[in-house]
Amino acid sequence: MQHIAGKAIVNSVNLEDGEKRFEKVVTLCKKYGAAVVALTIDEQGMTKTAERKLAVAKRIHELAVHKYGMKSHDIIIDALTFTLGSGDEEFRRSAIETLKAIRLIKKEMPEVNTSLGVSNVSFWVVAGFTHGIK
């Protein structure tokens, strides 16, 4: 990060293994002024509902900002979504839950940035908004 011209973005951190790796990465980001992409994964795994995504995002924010001194605008929350194309009934609402989560995250933590790999939801987004789902 010392050799990057401009602001670095580190991809990525999560809480899958608790705080140990998270602390190392976030501490380096703070030291060098980098932003970090934070995935909504914790010790229980990848989150599936909007409420769990929000809870993990809030935990990540709390740790990064209040424990490790990062700025809210240097955190990029990726609320993740499961692939819709699998046809698995368990994941049928995954895009809806993820989009709800992004709204909740932005409402509760307006300075935090968000990101989402739309390849998993792109068909749903086109089909869903065409059919008036909001």
Side-chain angles (χ1 to χ4, degrees):
M1 286 187 271
Q2 293 173 326
H3 303 287
I4 295 174
K7 187 173 199 74
I9 300 175
V10 174
N11 186 21
S12 61
V13 297
N14 63 62
L15 296 169
E16 184 174 25
D17 299 320
E19 289 183 44
K20 189 174 182 178
R21 182 178 174 277
F22 181 89
E23 176 183 13
K24 288 179 183 177
V25 174
V26 171
T27 299
L28 287 171
C29 289
K30 165 74 171 131
K31 180 177 180 178
Y32 295 105
V36 66
V37 176
L39 311 176
T40 54
I41 301 172
D42 67 2
E43 298 87 348
Q44 296 174 31
M46 189 169 144
T47 56
K48 295 178 184 173
T49 67
E51 294 75 20
R52 284 273 303 126
K53 291 174 187 295
L54 175 62
V56 172
K58 286 171 72 172
R59 181 176 167 208
I60 287 168
H61 180 264
E62 178 70 23
L63 288 169
V65 172
H66 299 290
K67 188 170 183 179
Y68 300 109
M70 287 192 70
K71 302 287 186 202
S72 291
H73 64 263
D74 284 338
I75 302 167
I76 305 164
I77 300 290
D78 186 333
L80 301 172
T81 192
F82 287 91
T83 304
L84 292 174
S86 71
D88 190 333
E89 183 62 27
E90 177 184 6
F91 303 124
R92 188 177 61 80
R93 294 188 44 87
S94 65
I96 294 168
E97 291 297 319
T98 301
L99 294 174
K100 279 185 188 176
I102 292 168
R103 282 189 205 106
L104 293 170
I105 290 165
K106 292 304 290 180
K107 182 178 179 182
E108 297 231 3
M109 297 170 285
E111 291 183 10
V112 167
N113 292 291
T114 57
S115 175
L116 178 64
V118 295
S119 62
N120 286 347
V121 297
S122 58
F123 173 76
W124 179 87
V125 171
V126 171
F129 283 103
T130 301
H131 292 93
I133 298 170
K134 295 181 178 153

